[in-house]
Amino acid sequence: MTLLFATSLFATPLFTIDDDFQTHGLCPGIEYYEDRTGSLTVSDIEKKTVGWDRMEKDQIALGFTESAWWFRFSVRNTTTRQRTILLKIDNALFDYVDLYSYSDGTLLASTITGDQRPLESRDVPSNYFVFRLNLSPGVQSYLFRIQTTSSLKFNPVLLTMVENARSEARDLSMIWFLAGWLIILILYNGFLFISTRRKDYLLFVSLVFSLLLLRLTTMGFSARYLLPPALNNIGVTLIILITILSCSYFLQSYFSTRNAYPKFHRLLAWSVNYPIIAVILLSYFIPYRYIVITSNIYGVIMPLLFFLLTIYTLIKRNRQGYFLFAGFAIILIIMIIDGLYLFGLITRPPVFDWFYNTGLAWLMLFSSLGLADQLNIMSRELRKRGHIIESASSAIATADLDGVMTSVNPSFLQMWGFEENGEIIGKSFPDFWIVEEDMGRFVRELQHTGKWTGELRARRKDGSLFDVQVSAAMVFDSHGRPDGFMLSSVDITEKKRAEVMLRTSLSEKETLLKELHHRVKNNLGVIYSLLKFEIDNQAKKDINDVLTSIQNRIRSMALVHQRLYRSDNLSSIGFSQYCADLIHYMSDFYHGGERIGFTQHTRDIELDIETVMPLGLIMTELIGNSLKHGFPGDRVGEIVVDFKYDDDYNCELTVSDTGIGLPHDFKLEDTESMGMFIIRALVEQLSGSIQITGEKGVSFIISFPLKSKKAEKGK
């Protein structure tokens, strides 16, 4: 191949070709002119002899501009035959591309095309802009004009048809490699989304699809096969913005930034998501040029921001960050190079497209692996939770929103008396729990609050009922929608029984405490009355006798309380043991143990305090009188206490002694003795009667009914 540079008739760079020519770029060497108003015609440009600049770089990269740009070059065909070669402009996004050919200063032909014009306007069917150059022997000059709202970056190349076919075959194989790989990821992760309903997979599918669409667009496939010319410009920029937006939402979901990294979540939301959504919604009103610049600025900045988020997750030891870091390793460099190239700061390496496609495939592969790793972690966590639920002592069940049972653990089977899950699955909630209110209301309350705790009655397989403490919680799907609820039940039957017993006991204790206060008040009233009676008669009695009588009466009452606090039942005491205690005390107090014996014949019975207290005082008075007056001097004898009752609880208390007895003219109603007065009053309190006999000593027989026992028997 021979390609020589010279000067043509119009002082344009001259490229000479021969029979060995295959391909060569027009950079460096091609000249360009900036039409700032975009109004110059081809005739105007022919007259421009100054203002032309020579491109010294290997590629044309003039960045974003509103100007129209003119380029010129000449070709000398040194062969003796007609040659047809191609001019290829490798950017599929230019709005307007016009080619003009000259020979000896005469305009021979023009081709008007661009992605804002129909595909039929293109000289050669291709994703890029390819023009036929029909070269006769000699020199032929060319002008081409480009005006676009996208970045003015391309590499003009002269090549044969064979080389162009090879180039397009390479591009096609490269894009099919990328598209095939991305389609596999879309199908695989789409299937996972359908299976798991996790939005991570849906967002990843949308990201991969938008990346695939973006790559097809930048390589000209969208303009050729998908989008009409009127939508090419806005379609490309919107695809770029949607791709960036999809990437942002995917990363937020992938790293769970809302909960794990709230600062980064807000940064992405306010710096990426909301601005891009606003630009997309207002794209009809915003000048297209600014939308293009915005999309490309985000295209440069966002890879850096996303990479910083990935680095931050690595610092925080997020396992998924390692996968994304490996994927970003290549694509970050590629995107930075592409961004700098878009703004005309650098030239693009020849192998850029290959690395770009490989980097995208690499990034999507590791992102998919990160999602798969998340799925594995979730699977292990679910198995762990499943093991915990299976081994839990609480009965755990799940049901759908209609109350139909979907799963239970072994404790549930045991608690309800079932043997297999199949006996439960598919049955409704009310078959196992008795919900007094409407089932729909129960579910609505769960949906409103997300949880419910309370006590319910449950029905076993055999129909028996038992009490359970139920904690119910709403279960949501991956989209946050109610999907059912989980119930944890604990058998509280024994607890309820214990609570009933405790409440009964507490109520009894409260009643007894009130009764105790009442009795103490009454006893203090009795003591007060006794003291008052003794004071009224103290002129006739020795003070020691008075105090002794009072002491014995108080002691008889104290013995009642002593027996009460030693008893398990605080409402009554055993009368037989009380009698024994009282006799023992009286014998010791009067030192009658050596001369006077005691005999007790009492049929044991539990008597309440209202009965025991007056009986104790009566016995104190009678035994005291016998010890003090019945056995004067060294006289010996016996005191007998007898208590009995019949089936109707008619009682008889007899206190007798073998002493000297009472005077023959003794009458109980005539006596002025304080002790006898107390006895008469207490017998009346018991609604009883008293009988006195004195054949051998004296016997006091007190008969009275047990009203409380009679009432219980009547019930």
Side-chain angles (χ1 to χ4, degrees):
M1 178 199 65
T2 302
L3 186 65
L4 301 176
F5 176 77
T7 304
S8 73
L9 180 64
F10 300 106
T12 59
L14 180 64
F15 298 90
T16 303
I17 64 172
D18 56 18
D19 291 331
D20 297 326
F21 170 77
Q22 295 295 324
T23 181
H24 198 280
L26 297 181
C27 295
I30 193 171
E31 291 184 342
Y32 61 96
Y33 182 89
E34 182 179 7
D35 176 9
R36 295 183 182 276
T37 62
S39 60
L40 297 178
T41 64
V42 65
S43 300
D44 298 328
I45 289 298
E46 290 176 8
K47 301 173 184 178
K48 298 290 183 180
T49 57
V50 295
W52 290 88
D53 294 311
R54 184 177 185 272
M55 180 59 63
E56 302 295 342
K57 298 179 180 180
D58 294 334
Q59 293 174 335
I60 296 173
L62 300 175
F64 293 96
T65 174
E66 293 181 335
S67 303
W69 294 83
W70 291 85
F71 301 87
R72 68 184 184 181
F73 67 95
S74 297
V75 179
R76 172 180 289 171
N77 180 7
T78 60
T79 67
T80 59
R81 67 182 188 278
Q82 181 86 9
R83 293 291 305 271
T84 299
I85 64 175
L86 302 177
L87 168 64
K88 183 176 183 178
I89 297 175
D90 63 346
N91 189 320
L93 303 179
F94 290 155
D95 296 344
Y96 304 101
V97 182
D98 306 332
L99 177 70
Y100 304 91
S101 62
Y102 287 84
S103 179
D104 297 327
T106 302
L107 179 63
L108 299 179
S110 63
T111 303
I112 310 300
T113 186
D115 74 352
Q116 293 298 295
R117 295 188 172 107
L119 281 173
E120 293 78 9
S121 66
R122 300 192 183 189
D123 195 16
V124 176
S126 174
N127 296 337
Y128 301 110
F129 301 106
V130 181
F131 302 91
R132 287 188 180 92
L133 305 183
N134 297 313
L135 302 176
S136 299
V139 177
Q140 196 162 325
S141 300
Y142 294 91
L143 283 170
F144 64 89
R145 176 184 181 272
I146 297 177
Q147 188 173 15
T148 185
T149 51
S150 60
S151 176
L152 192 65
K153 58 182 182 69
F154 66 102
N155 184 23
V157 178
L158 296 175
L159 71 169
T160 64
M161 292 185 180
V162 174
E163 281 299 317
N164 182 62
R166 291 174 180 171
S167 174
E168 293 203 350
R170 286 193 299 269
D171 291 344
L172 194 61
S173 63
M174 185 167 52
I175 195 64
W176 274 116
F177 160 75
L178 176 65
W181 181 248
L182 296 184
I183 289 173
I184 290 173
L185 291 179
I186 289 174
L187 294 176
Y188 172 71
N189 288 277
F191 174 76
L192 290 178
F193 168 71
I194 294 173
S195 301
T196 64
R197 297 293 180 181
R198 284 180 54 84
K199 69 176 182 178
D200 298 3
Y201 295 101
L202 181 62
L203 291 173
F204 182 72
V205 167
S206 66
L207 172 60
V208 175
F209 181 78
S210 60
L211 280 172
L212 176 59
L213 192 59
L214 175 62
R215 194 65 185 129
L216 292 174
T217 301
T218 57
M219 295 187 72
F221 287 92
S222 294
R224 189 172 181 182
Y225 300 108
L226 299 177
L227 299 175
L231 297 179
N232 276 338
N233 278 351
I234 192 66
V236 171
T237 52
L238 290 181
I239 289 172
I240 294 174
L241 292 175
I242 290 172
T243 301
I244 296 172
L245 188 64
S246 297
C247 186
S248 177
Y249 275 115
F250 169 69
L251 288 178
Q252 286 179 319
S253 177
Y254 182 81
F255 288 119
S256 300
T257 55
R258 183 183 298 275
N259 298 321
Y261 316 112
K263 292 183 179 179
F264 256 108
H265 184 83
R266 289 191 293 270
L267 177 63
L268 290 176
W270 288 101
S271 65
V272 182
N273 301 355
Y274 301 151
I276 289 180
I277 291 174
V279 170
I280 292 174
L281 294 177
L282 299 175
S283 59
Y284 182 80
F285 306 99
I286 300 175
Y288 176 69
R289 168 180 168 77
Y290 297 111
I291 298 177
V292 173
I293 294 175
T294 301
S295 65
N296 284 277
I297 289 175
Y298 269 109
V300 174
I301 295 176
M302 293 322 300
L304 292 174
L305 184 59
F306 295 159
F307 189 71
L308 288 177
L309 174 59
T310 303
I311 295 297
Y312 184 75
T313 59
L314 290 180
I315 295 174
K316 294 297 184 179
R317 299 185 180 277
N318 187 310
R319 181 182 174 93
Q320 272 61 50
Y322 292 98
F323 290 94
L324 215 56
F325 178 78
F328 261 122
I330 296 178
I331 199 65
L332 177 69
I333 300 173
I334 293 173
M335 287 184 171
I336 293 174
I337 293 174
D338 190 47
L340 297 175
Y341 174 52
L342 284 171
F343 287 92
L345 300 177
I346 63 171
T347 58
R348 193 163 64 171
V351 294
F352 176 82
D353 285 337
W354 186 88
F355 275 110
Y356 191 93
N357 292 327
T358 304
L360 281 179
W362 185 267
L363 174 61
M364 294 300 100
L365 170 63
F366 276 89
S367 299
S368 182
L369 291 175
L371 286 176
D373 185 66
Q374 282 186 349
L375 193 61
N376 290 333
I377 293 174
M378 289 176 54
S379 178
R380 290 195 296 269
E381 185 66 23
L382 286 174
R383 286 196 297 269
K384 179 180 178 181
R385 292 182 181 180
H387 177 71
I388 293 174
I389 292 175
E390 288 294 309
S391 59
S393 58
S394 300
I396 299 176
T398 59
D400 61 20
L401 293 178
D402 295 324
V404 177
M405 305 291 287
T406 56
S407 67
V408 295
N409 70 341
S411 296
F412 188 97
L413 297 175
Q414 181 180 1
M415 190 175 296
W416 264 261
F418 290 93
E419 297 180 358
E420 297 180 354
N421 290 6
E423 299 180 74
I424 298 175
I425 306 303
K427 293 185 177 180
S428 63
F429 181 96
D431 291 335
F432 306 97
W433 291 274
I434 301 174
V435 182
E436 294 181 357
E437 65 264 21
D438 179 62
M439 182 66 186
R441 181 182 175 187
F442 173 76
V443 174
R444 286 193 298 273
E445 183 177 348
L446 263 178
Q447 291 175 334
H448 178 69
T449 62
K451 57 184 178 180
W452 182 88
T453 301
E455 295 180 4
L456 294 175
R457 294 281 284 169
R459 183 183 292 106
R460 291 190 178 92
K461 180 180 179 180
D462 59 9
S464 60
L465 301 179
F466 63 105
D467 296 300
V468 288
Q469 177 76 31
V470 179
S471 297
M474 185 62 64
V475 179
F476 300 90
D477 61 16
S478 58
H479 300 286
R481 296 173 300 197
D483 191 43
F485 46 89
M486 176 179 289
L487 306 102
S488 176
S489 302
V490 178
D491 189 346
I492 58 170
T493 304
E494 294 301 323
K495 177 183 175 183
K496 294 277 286 185
R497 290 174 183 169
E499 288 178 353
V500 171
M501 294 178 63
L502 182 60
R503 283 194 296 268
T504 302
S505 177
L506 181 61
S507 176
E508 181 179 302
K509 297 298 188 295
E510 290 176 350
T511 302
L512 290 175
L513 185 59
K514 294 178 182 178
E515 184 69 18
L516 178 60
H517 288 301
H518 178 68
R519 293 305 173 191
V520 169
K521 177 182 73 69
N522 289 346
N523 290 340
L524 291 175
V526 171
I527 294 171
Y528 172 79
S529 298
L530 294 174
L531 287 173
K532 187 175 183 303
F533 291 150
E534 293 293 352
I535 290 171
D536 292 340
N537 295 295
Q538 63 180 338
K540 303 177 182 179
K541 291 187 178 182
D542 181 77
I543 190 63
N544 288 333
D545 290 339
V546 173
L547 294 177
T548 297
S549 298
I550 293 173
Q551 182 179 5
N552 290 335
R553 292 162 189 161
I554 293 174
R555 181 57 180 172
S556 70
M557 292 187 292
L559 283 175
V560 174
H561 291 288
Q562 178 177 314
R563 297 305 305 174
L564 280 175
Y565 79 72
R566 289 181 178 178
S567 172
D568 293 334
N569 186 353
L570 299 180
S571 62
S572 62
I573 62 174
F575 185 66
S576 181
Q577 185 61 48
Y578 172 74
C579 288
D581 293 341
L582 184 59
I583 291 170
H584 184 267
Y585 164 75
M586 297 297 290
S587 176
D588 288 345
F589 186 83
Y590 287 101
H591 306 289
E594 297 178 357
R595 297 183 298 106
I596 304 168
F598 284 88
T599 301
Q600 178 182 342
H601 301 290
T602 54
R603 182 181 177 186
D604 197 18
I605 189 174
E606 293 287 323
L607 298 180
D608 57 44
I609 190 173
E610 294 180 350
T611 303
V612 173
M613 194 67 73
L615 287 178
L617 289 172
I618 292 172
M619 291 173 59
T620 299
E621 294 298 329
L622 295 176
I623 294 174
N625 284 338
S626 294
L627 290 172
K628 286 189 296 182
H629 307 295
F631 303 93
D634 294 330
R635 186 183 176 92
V636 296
E638 181 182 26
I639 298 175
V640 179
V641 177
D642 183 80
F643 178 79
K644 56 186 177 181
Y645 59 92
D646 58 21
D647 293 339
D648 293 327
Y649 294 104
N650 295 310
C651 303
E652 185 179 279
L653 172 66
T654 303
V655 178
S656 59
D657 63 48
T658 58
I660 61 175
L662 294 173
H664 295 289
D665 58 350
F666 177 81
K667 291 183 180 180
L668 181 62
E669 60 275 10
D670 295 335
T671 180
E672 296 181 0
S673 167
M674 181 62 185
M676 291 301 170
F677 175 79
I678 291 173
I679 290 172
R680 289 199 308 271
L682 293 174
V683 171
E684 289 179 5
Q685 182 179 328
L686 291 172
S687 301
S689 61
I690 184 170
Q691 181 182 357
I692 303 173
T693 62
E695 296 179 359
K696 296 181 179 180
V698 64
S699 295
F700 289 86
I701 303 170
I702 295 97
S703 301
F704 62 94
L706 279 180
K707 296 180 180 179
S708 60
K709 296 293 184 180
K710 285 179 175 288
E712 291 178 7
K713 184 177 180 181
K715 292 180 181 180

